Amino acid sequence: LYIQTKKPIIPTRSNILYPPRQGSTPTGNRIFIAIREKSELQPLLITKQPLLLNFVNRGETSSNKLTGALQRIVSLETDKLVNMVDIEADEIGNRDLLIDYQVNKIPTIVALKNQLPRGSYCDEALIENPESQDVKWQELKAWVESHADEKKK
């Protein structure tokens, strides 16, 4: 799905990729539509929950594996609050974001809280051997949860 617009994208029901409706996940976490231009990220930065920026190259095996694992963790497997969005690093409009968030290898996940970077995750073994290496599931889940907010009771 590709949305081409000159207007900034404001987080609404139409640009949330997952979940399809309010309350359909136990945590209420959101997965937003992929960012293809730096200006599309601005409205998402104001979200209250921590935001994971998943820097990927489209169609790359290591990016696909990490993205699938991250989406499953965010949408189904964590009890903590966190949102995520894919940043398509191979898009020219996102080159500045790579510099802004000091991303040197793809795929890399950057955790933002209150619009500030709080950490990054890069699976070097997956990048070097994408065909034979699997995602380090427990390590990734622990990293995500360390940057997520606790559920309010």
Side-chain angles (χ1 to χ4, degrees):
L1 177 63
Y2 179 69
I3 300 171
Q4 185 173 3
T5 179
K6 295 201 184 268
K7 297 178 185 176
I9 295 178
I10 298 169
T12 63
R13 295 296 311 146
S14 63
N15 64 354
I16 295 173
L17 185 62
Y18 187 91
R21 63 185 182 281
Q22 187 69 23
S24 61
T25 65
T27 60
N29 294 337
R30 300 282 189 245
I31 299 173
F32 295 101
I33 291 176
I35 301 296
R36 292 191 170 173
E37 188 173 309
K38 185 177 180 177
S39 63
E40 294 174 354
L41 179 62
Q42 289 307 115
L44 301 182
L45 294 176
I46 61 172
T47 58
K48 293 179 183 178
Q49 291 177 209
L51 180 64
L52 302 178
L53 306 179
N54 183 29
F55 289 88
V56 297
N57 285 330
R58 287 176 290 173
E60 187 179 71
T61 303
S62 58
S63 293
N64 291 344
K65 284 183 175 184
L66 188 65
T67 299
L70 182 62
Q71 287 178 345
R72 182 167 176 90
I73 291 167
V74 168
S75 64
L76 301 172
E77 296 202 5
T78 185
D79 292 331
K80 297 191 176 186
L81 301 172
V82 64
N83 294 326
M84 73 162 280
V85 64
D86 290 340
I87 308 290
E88 294 183 353
D90 49 353
E91 289 288 332
I92 294 172
N94 288 333
R95 299 294 163 110
D96 288 344
L97 290 174
L98 295 169
I99 295 166
D100 292 348
Y101 294 107
Q102 300 176 353
V103 174
N104 299 316
K105 296 185 178 185
I106 304 297
T108 294
I109 306 166
V110 175
L112 300 181
K113 190 166 185 176
N114 299 325
Q115 302 180 15
L116 300 172
R118 299 294 185 197
S120 64
Y121 178 89
C122 182
D123 188 341
E124 303 264 347
L126 182 62
I127 293 171
E128 291 174 16
N129 262 327
E131 300 299 329
S132 61
Q133 186 71 31
D134 287 327
V135 173
K136 297 173 185 159
W137 194 273
Q138 294 303 321
E139 181 180 301
L140 177 60
K141 184 176 179 183
W143 183 86
V144 167
E145 290 184 341
S146 73
H147 293 286
D149 283 346
E150 293 291 331
K151 260 182 150 175
K152 295 178 183 174
K153 297 188 180 197

